[in-house]
Structures are given as structure tokens and as C-alpha cells.
């Protein structure tokens, strides 16, 4: 969320991509490109080279993580992985990481053992937790929340640090 915060702080004027590269020099250029692409796919930012700006729908709504989480929840509620999970699991239901991998593999027509499946799962789960659509269950399990998720609007989770980069 550090990169998102940089962009959001610039408001409707935005920030040059090259400026982010300078400010976040510890982040590899490919990683930063992936972050930019994810933020864009999630509808959080708009990118018109060379400027990145916060999505106009979010202007003035980024004062708290709960506002951002609510915005993301509305978008991610339509994600095919969340739809599949909700269709087959009632609130309060636990699922394993392997079950999530199987869902992703099936939806994207990949082998469960494919590295891409793990990559997708790692990136998605952080956003699903932050949006409050899933929550960390006992052990390494994933829980379909029964009401408001414990992780909604929380940036860091010991086992899902990926979100902190965004």
C-alpha cells in the first residue's frame, strides 16, 4: 500500500512513474510494474504514461483503510475466484490453501502444481483479506467470513506481507 499511498497523496494531479521508481528504489523495477498493473486492474489507480493517479471515484475517500477496503470489496465481490468460493462455501466455512489452489487452477485452466497458481493465490489472498471478503482461519486455513472479517482494512498479516508493497 506504500505505492498506493504515494499516488493517493498526489490527488488528481498524480505522480510520474519515474518519480515512484526513484522514491521506491529498493523495489525492483519489475516488481513495481507488477504493483502498478495490480493497482490498475483493481481499479485503484489510472495510468496514462507517464502519470499514475488515483481513480477519480476514490478521490477524497482514501483517508482510512476501511474506506479503501469497502471500495475494493465492491469490486472484488465480482471476482470469479470469490464468486466460486462463495457459491460452494457458506459463511463460517474453512478451506485449505490447497482448496484455494484447486479453485484457481480450475478457473484458469491450469495444473494445481503450476507455479502460476501459487503466484495468483499469493497475490489474490492479500487483497481478499484486506477487502474483508475472506479471513485468516485457524492454522493456514482460509475462512469465509460470517459478518465482518477480522482482516478487513488491515494492511499487514504475518503470512501475507505482499500487500504492504502495494
Amino acid at each position: 500500500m506504500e505505492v498506493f499511498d504515494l499516488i493517493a497523496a498526489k490527488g488528481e494531479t498524480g505522480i510520474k512513474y519515474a518519480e515512484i521508481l526513484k522514491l521506491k528504489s529498493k523495489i525492483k523495477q519489475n516488481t513495481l510494474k507488477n504493483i502498478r498493473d495490480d493497482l490498475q486492474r483493481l481499479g485503484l489507480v489510472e495510468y496514462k504514461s507517464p502519470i499514475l493517479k488515483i481513480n477519480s471515484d476514490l478521490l477524497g475517500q482514501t483517508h482510512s483503510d476501511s474506506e479503501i477496503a469497502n471500495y475494493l470489496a465492491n469490486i472484488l465481490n465480482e471476482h470469479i475466484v470469490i464468486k466460486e468460493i462463495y457459491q460452494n462455501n457458506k459463511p463460517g466455512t474453512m478451506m485449505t490453501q490447497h482448496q484455494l489452489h484447486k479453485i484457481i487452477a480450475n478457473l484458469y485452466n491450469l495444473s494445481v502444481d503450476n507455479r502460476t497458481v501459487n503466484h495468483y493465490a499469493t497475490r489474490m489472498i492479500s487483497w481478499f483479506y484486506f477487502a474483508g471478503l475472506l479471513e485468516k482461519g485457524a492454522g493456514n486455513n482460509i475462512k469465509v467470513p460470517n459478518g465482518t472479517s477480522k482482516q478487513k482494512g488491515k494492511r499487514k498479516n504475518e503470512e501475507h506481507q505482499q500487500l504492504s508493497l502495494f
Side-chain angles (χ1 to χ4, degrees), residues 56 67 88 95 97 112-113 155 158:
S56 56
E67 289 175 312
N88 295 305
M95 61 187 286
Q97 291 284 332
V112 176
D113 299 328
R155 292 179 182 231
E158 303 83 45

Side-chain angles (χ1 to χ4, degrees), residues 33 82 93-94 99 101 116 120 153:
K33 182 190 175 302
I82 285 295
T93 304
M94 295 279 211
Q99 287 170 308
H101 286 210
T116 303
Y120 284 178

Side-chain angles (χ1 to χ4, degrees), residues 7 35 47 86 92 99 109 117-118 123-124 133 144 162:
I7 299 165
I35 291 169
Y47 179 58
Y86 283 11
Q99 287 170 308
N109 201 24
V117 172
N118 188 51
R123 289 172 74 165
M124 286 180 199
L133 300 175
V144 176
Q162 176 120 7

Side-chain angles (χ1 to χ4, degrees), residues 124-161:
M124 286 180 199
I125 198 74
S126 295
W127 291 109
F128 293 155
Y129 285 168
F130 182 78
L133 300 175
L134 295 175
E135 69 182 43
K136 181 88 173 102
N140 202 22
N141 291 320
I142 301 161
K143 184 178 178 183
V144 176
N146 193 0
T148 304
S149 167
K150 295 173 191 168
Q151 280 87 27
K152 185 171 186 172
K154 297 210 174 22
R155 292 179 182 231
K156 288 197 177 186
N157 180 302
E158 303 83 45
E159 295 176 22
H160 297 286
Q161 296 278 332

Side-chain angles (χ1 to χ4, degrees), residues 52-86:
L52 271 161
K53 9 185 210 186
I54 189 164
N55 183 316
S56 56
D57 293 339
L58 271 171
L59 282 172
Q61 296 183 39
T62 58
H63 302 299
S64 75
D65 287 344
S66 65
E67 289 175 312
I68 299 165
N70 288 334
Y71 180 84
L72 268 178
N74 287 329
I75 292 169
L76 292 176
N77 226 358
E78 298 301 317
H79 195 282
I80 59 172
V81 173
I82 285 295
K83 283 184 171 187
E84 183 72 17
I85 291 170
Y86 283 11

Side-chain angles (χ1 to χ4, degrees), residues 37 42 130:
D37 292 347
L42 290 168
F130 182 78

